[in-house]
Short mmCIF file of all heavy atoms in Angstrom, two decimals:
data_model
loop_
_atom_site.label_atom_id
_atom_site.label_comp_id
_atom_site.label_asym_id
_atom_site.label_seq_id
_atom_site.Cartn_x
_atom_site.Cartn_y
_atom_site.Cartn_z
N GLU A 297 20.84 5.91 -56.42
CA GLU A 297 20.99 6.08 -57.87
C GLU A 297 20.51 7.45 -58.33
O GLU A 297 20.75 7.84 -59.48
CB GLU A 297 20.22 4.99 -58.61
CG GLU A 297 20.76 3.58 -58.39
CD GLU A 297 20.03 2.55 -59.22
OE1 GLU A 297 19.83 2.80 -60.43
OE2 GLU A 297 19.64 1.51 -58.66
N PHE A 298 19.82 8.17 -57.46
CA PHE A 298 19.38 9.53 -57.81
C PHE A 298 20.57 10.48 -57.87
O PHE A 298 21.61 10.25 -57.23
CB PHE A 298 18.37 10.05 -56.79
CG PHE A 298 16.95 9.64 -57.07
CD1 PHE A 298 16.07 9.39 -56.03
CD2 PHE A 298 16.48 9.52 -58.37
CE1 PHE A 298 14.76 9.03 -56.27
CE2 PHE A 298 15.16 9.15 -58.63
CZ PHE A 298 14.30 8.90 -57.58
N SER A 299 20.40 11.58 -58.59
CA SER A 299 21.44 12.61 -58.69
C SER A 299 21.48 13.43 -57.40
O SER A 299 20.55 13.39 -56.58
CB SER A 299 21.17 13.52 -59.88
OG SER A 299 19.93 14.19 -59.73
N MET A 300 22.54 14.20 -57.23
CA MET A 300 22.71 14.99 -56.01
C MET A 300 21.56 15.96 -55.74
O MET A 300 21.07 16.04 -54.61
CB MET A 300 24.04 15.75 -56.08
CG MET A 300 24.40 16.48 -54.80
SD MET A 300 24.78 15.35 -53.43
CE MET A 300 26.34 14.67 -53.97
N PRO A 301 21.09 16.73 -56.76
CA PRO A 301 19.96 17.65 -56.50
C PRO A 301 18.72 16.94 -55.96
O PRO A 301 18.04 17.45 -55.07
CB PRO A 301 19.70 18.29 -57.87
CG PRO A 301 21.00 18.18 -58.59
CD PRO A 301 21.59 16.88 -58.14
N THR A 302 18.42 15.75 -56.50
CA THR A 302 17.24 15.01 -56.05
C THR A 302 17.42 14.50 -54.63
O THR A 302 16.47 14.49 -53.84
CB THR A 302 16.96 13.83 -57.00
OG1 THR A 302 16.84 14.31 -58.33
CG2 THR A 302 15.67 13.12 -56.61
N LEU A 303 18.63 14.08 -54.30
CA LEU A 303 18.90 13.62 -52.94
C LEU A 303 18.72 14.75 -51.94
O LEU A 303 18.15 14.56 -50.86
CB LEU A 303 20.32 13.06 -52.85
CG LEU A 303 20.59 11.74 -53.60
CD1 LEU A 303 22.07 11.38 -53.55
CD2 LEU A 303 19.75 10.60 -53.04
N ILE A 304 19.20 15.94 -52.29
CA ILE A 304 19.04 17.10 -51.41
C ILE A 304 17.57 17.48 -51.28
O ILE A 304 17.08 17.80 -50.19
CB ILE A 304 19.87 18.30 -51.93
CG1 ILE A 304 21.37 17.97 -51.87
CG2 ILE A 304 19.57 19.56 -51.12
CD1 ILE A 304 22.26 19.00 -52.52
N LEU A 305 16.83 17.43 -52.41
CA LEU A 305 15.39 17.69 -52.38
C LEU A 305 14.69 16.70 -51.47
O LEU A 305 13.83 17.08 -50.65
CB LEU A 305 14.81 17.60 -53.79
CG LEU A 305 13.27 17.61 -53.90
CD1 LEU A 305 12.71 18.95 -53.46
CD2 LEU A 305 12.83 17.26 -55.32
N THR A 306 15.05 15.42 -51.58
CA THR A 306 14.44 14.38 -50.73
C THR A 306 14.72 14.63 -49.26
O THR A 306 13.85 14.41 -48.40
CB THR A 306 14.94 12.99 -51.14
OG1 THR A 306 14.71 12.79 -52.54
CG2 THR A 306 14.23 11.90 -50.35
N CYS A 307 15.94 15.11 -48.96
CA CYS A 307 16.28 15.46 -47.57
C CYS A 307 15.32 16.52 -47.05
O CYS A 307 14.84 16.45 -45.91
CB CYS A 307 17.72 15.97 -47.48
SG CYS A 307 18.98 14.70 -47.68
N GLY A 308 15.04 17.52 -47.88
CA GLY A 308 14.11 18.58 -47.49
C GLY A 308 12.70 18.07 -47.26
O GLY A 308 12.04 18.44 -46.29
N LEU A 309 12.24 17.19 -48.15
CA LEU A 309 10.90 16.62 -48.01
C LEU A 309 10.78 15.78 -46.75
O LEU A 309 9.77 15.82 -46.04
CB LEU A 309 10.56 15.78 -49.24
CG LEU A 309 10.39 16.54 -50.56
CD1 LEU A 309 10.20 15.56 -51.71
CD2 LEU A 309 9.21 17.51 -50.49
N MET A 310 11.82 14.99 -46.45
CA MET A 310 11.81 14.16 -45.25
C MET A 310 11.88 15.02 -43.99
O MET A 310 11.26 14.69 -42.97
CB MET A 310 12.98 13.17 -45.28
CG MET A 310 12.86 12.11 -46.35
SD MET A 310 14.08 10.77 -46.21
CE MET A 310 15.62 11.67 -46.47
N PHE A 311 12.63 16.12 -44.04
CA PHE A 311 12.74 17.03 -42.91
C PHE A 311 11.38 17.64 -42.57
O PHE A 311 11.01 17.78 -41.40
CB PHE A 311 13.75 18.13 -43.23
CG PHE A 311 13.93 19.15 -42.13
CD1 PHE A 311 14.68 18.85 -40.99
CD2 PHE A 311 13.34 20.41 -42.22
CE1 PHE A 311 14.85 19.78 -39.98
CE2 PHE A 311 13.50 21.34 -41.21
CZ PHE A 311 14.25 21.03 -40.09
N ILE A 312 10.59 17.98 -43.59
CA ILE A 312 9.24 18.51 -43.37
C ILE A 312 8.34 17.42 -42.79
O ILE A 312 7.61 17.65 -41.83
CB ILE A 312 8.64 19.05 -44.69
CG1 ILE A 312 9.45 20.24 -45.19
CG2 ILE A 312 7.17 19.46 -44.48
CD1 ILE A 312 9.10 20.68 -46.60
N GLY A 313 8.40 16.24 -43.39
CA GLY A 313 7.67 15.10 -42.83
C GLY A 313 6.19 15.08 -43.11
O GLY A 313 5.71 15.64 -44.11
N ALA A 314 5.44 14.46 -42.21
CA ALA A 314 4.01 14.25 -42.38
C ALA A 314 3.21 15.34 -41.66
O ALA A 314 3.76 16.34 -41.20
CB ALA A 314 3.63 12.88 -41.85
N SER A 315 1.91 15.14 -41.54
CA SER A 315 1.04 16.10 -40.87
C SER A 315 1.06 15.89 -39.36
O SER A 315 1.38 14.80 -38.89
CB SER A 315 -0.40 15.96 -41.39
OG SER A 315 -0.45 16.20 -42.78
N PRO A 316 0.69 16.92 -38.58
CA PRO A 316 0.59 16.75 -37.13
C PRO A 316 -0.49 15.72 -36.79
O PRO A 316 -1.42 15.52 -37.57
CB PRO A 316 0.19 18.15 -36.63
CG PRO A 316 0.57 19.08 -37.72
CD PRO A 316 0.41 18.31 -39.00
N SER A 317 -0.36 15.08 -35.64
CA SER A 317 -1.31 14.08 -35.18
C SER A 317 -1.51 12.99 -36.23
O SER A 317 -2.63 12.62 -36.59
CB SER A 317 -2.67 14.73 -34.85
OG SER A 317 -3.50 13.83 -34.17
N SER A 318 -0.38 12.50 -36.74
CA SER A 318 -0.39 11.41 -37.71
C SER A 318 0.64 10.38 -37.27
O SER A 318 1.18 10.47 -36.17
CB SER A 318 -0.06 11.93 -39.12
OG SER A 318 1.32 12.28 -39.21
N VAL A 319 0.95 9.44 -38.15
CA VAL A 319 1.95 8.43 -37.81
C VAL A 319 3.37 8.90 -38.11
O VAL A 319 4.34 8.22 -37.76
CB VAL A 319 1.69 7.12 -38.58
CG1 VAL A 319 0.34 6.54 -38.22
CG2 VAL A 319 1.78 7.35 -40.09
N GLY A 320 3.50 10.06 -38.77
CA GLY A 320 4.81 10.52 -39.24
C GLY A 320 5.49 11.52 -38.33
O GLY A 320 4.92 12.01 -37.36
N GLY A 321 6.75 11.83 -38.67
CA GLY A 321 7.55 12.77 -37.89
C GLY A 321 7.89 14.01 -38.69
O GLY A 321 7.13 14.44 -39.55
N GLY A 322 9.08 14.59 -38.42
CA GLY A 322 9.50 15.81 -39.10
C GLY A 322 8.97 17.05 -38.39
O GLY A 322 8.39 16.98 -37.31
N ILE A 323 9.15 18.21 -39.04
CA ILE A 323 8.63 19.45 -38.45
C ILE A 323 7.13 19.55 -38.65
O ILE A 323 6.47 20.38 -38.02
CB ILE A 323 9.32 20.70 -39.04
CG1 ILE A 323 9.07 20.80 -40.55
CG2 ILE A 323 10.81 20.69 -38.72
CD1 ILE A 323 9.54 22.10 -41.17
N ARG A 324 6.57 18.75 -39.54
CA ARG A 324 5.15 18.63 -39.87
C ARG A 324 4.73 19.67 -40.93
O ARG A 324 5.30 20.74 -41.06
CB ARG A 324 4.24 18.75 -38.64
CG ARG A 324 4.60 17.89 -37.43
CD ARG A 324 4.67 16.40 -37.73
NE ARG A 324 4.46 15.54 -36.58
CZ ARG A 324 5.39 15.15 -35.74
NH1 ARG A 324 6.63 15.58 -35.89
NH2 ARG A 324 5.11 14.32 -34.74
N THR A 325 3.71 19.29 -41.69
CA THR A 325 3.27 20.09 -42.83
C THR A 325 2.72 21.45 -42.44
O THR A 325 2.99 22.45 -43.10
CB THR A 325 2.20 19.32 -43.62
OG1 THR A 325 1.16 18.91 -42.72
CG2 THR A 325 2.78 18.10 -44.30
N THR A 326 1.92 21.51 -41.37
CA THR A 326 1.33 22.79 -40.97
C THR A 326 2.39 23.78 -40.51
O THR A 326 2.28 24.98 -40.74
CB THR A 326 0.30 22.60 -39.85
OG1 THR A 326 0.86 21.76 -38.83
CG2 THR A 326 -0.97 21.97 -40.37
N THR A 327 3.43 23.28 -39.85
CA THR A 327 4.54 24.13 -39.42
C THR A 327 5.20 24.78 -40.63
O THR A 327 5.48 25.98 -40.65
CB THR A 327 5.59 23.30 -38.66
OG1 THR A 327 4.95 22.60 -37.60
CG2 THR A 327 6.69 24.19 -38.09
N PHE A 328 5.45 23.96 -41.66
CA PHE A 328 6.06 24.46 -42.89
C PHE A 328 5.16 25.47 -43.58
O PHE A 328 5.62 26.52 -44.06
CB PHE A 328 6.34 23.28 -43.82
CG PHE A 328 6.95 23.65 -45.13
CD1 PHE A 328 8.26 24.13 -45.20
CD2 PHE A 328 6.23 23.53 -46.32
CE1 PHE A 328 8.83 24.49 -46.42
CE2 PHE A 328 6.79 23.87 -47.54
CZ PHE A 328 8.09 24.35 -47.59
N ALA A 329 3.85 25.18 -43.61
CA ALA A 329 2.89 26.08 -44.27
C ALA A 329 2.83 27.43 -43.57
O ALA A 329 2.83 28.49 -44.22
CB ALA A 329 1.50 25.44 -44.28
N ILE A 330 2.78 27.42 -42.24
CA ILE A 330 2.71 28.68 -41.47
C ILE A 330 3.99 29.49 -41.67
O ILE A 330 3.94 30.72 -41.77
CB ILE A 330 2.45 28.39 -39.98
CG1 ILE A 330 1.02 27.86 -39.79
CG2 ILE A 330 2.67 29.64 -39.13
CD1 ILE A 330 0.70 27.44 -38.39
N MET A 331 5.14 28.83 -41.76
CA MET A 331 6.39 29.54 -42.01
C MET A 331 6.33 30.27 -43.35
O MET A 331 6.67 31.45 -43.45
CB MET A 331 7.56 28.57 -42.01
CG MET A 331 8.90 29.22 -42.27
SD MET A 331 10.21 28.06 -42.75
CE MET A 331 9.68 27.62 -44.42
N LEU A 332 5.88 29.57 -44.41
CA LEU A 332 5.78 30.19 -45.73
C LEU A 332 4.78 31.34 -45.73
O LEU A 332 5.04 32.41 -46.31
CB LEU A 332 5.37 29.15 -46.77
CG LEU A 332 6.37 28.02 -47.09
CD1 LEU A 332 5.81 27.12 -48.18
CD2 LEU A 332 7.71 28.60 -47.53
N LEU A 333 3.65 31.14 -45.06
CA LEU A 333 2.62 32.19 -44.99
C LEU A 333 3.14 33.41 -44.22
O LEU A 333 2.85 34.56 -44.59
CB LEU A 333 1.36 31.65 -44.32
CG LEU A 333 0.53 30.65 -45.14
CD1 LEU A 333 -0.53 29.99 -44.27
CD2 LEU A 333 -0.12 31.35 -46.32
N ALA A 334 3.90 33.17 -43.16
CA ALA A 334 4.46 34.27 -42.35
C ALA A 334 5.45 35.08 -43.18
O ALA A 334 5.44 36.33 -43.15
CB ALA A 334 5.13 33.72 -41.10
N ILE A 335 6.31 34.39 -43.92
CA ILE A 335 7.30 35.08 -44.76
C ILE A 335 6.59 35.90 -45.85
O ILE A 335 6.92 37.06 -46.10
CB ILE A 335 8.26 34.07 -45.39
CG1 ILE A 335 9.12 33.41 -44.31
CG2 ILE A 335 9.16 34.74 -46.44
CD1 ILE A 335 9.96 32.25 -44.81
N TYR A 336 5.60 35.28 -46.48
CA TYR A 336 4.86 35.95 -47.56
C TYR A 336 4.13 37.19 -47.05
O TYR A 336 4.22 38.27 -47.64
CB TYR A 336 3.86 34.97 -48.19
CG TYR A 336 2.93 35.61 -49.19
CD1 TYR A 336 3.35 35.90 -50.48
CD2 TYR A 336 1.62 35.93 -48.83
CE1 TYR A 336 2.49 36.50 -51.39
CE2 TYR A 336 0.75 36.52 -49.74
CZ TYR A 336 1.20 36.81 -51.02
OH TYR A 336 0.34 37.41 -51.92
N ASN A 337 3.41 37.04 -45.93
CA ASN A 337 2.65 38.17 -45.40
C ASN A 337 3.56 39.28 -44.87
O ASN A 337 3.22 40.46 -44.99
CB ASN A 337 1.71 37.69 -44.28
CG ASN A 337 0.44 37.05 -44.84
OD1 ASN A 337 -0.54 37.72 -45.11
ND2 ASN A 337 0.49 35.73 -45.02
#
Side-chain angles (χ1 to χ4, degrees):
E297 295 184 47
F298 275 146
S299 62
M300 187 68 71
T302 305
L303 291 174
I304 295 173
L305 170 66
T306 305
C307 288
L309 292 174
M310 293 190 296
F311 179 77
I312 296 169
S315 300
S317 191
S318 72
V319 298
I323 62 171
R324 311 303 204 274
T325 53
T326 47
T327 306
F328 179 69
I330 290 175
M331 180 197 72
L332 293 182
L333 288 169
I335 294 171
Y336 172 78
N337 280 273

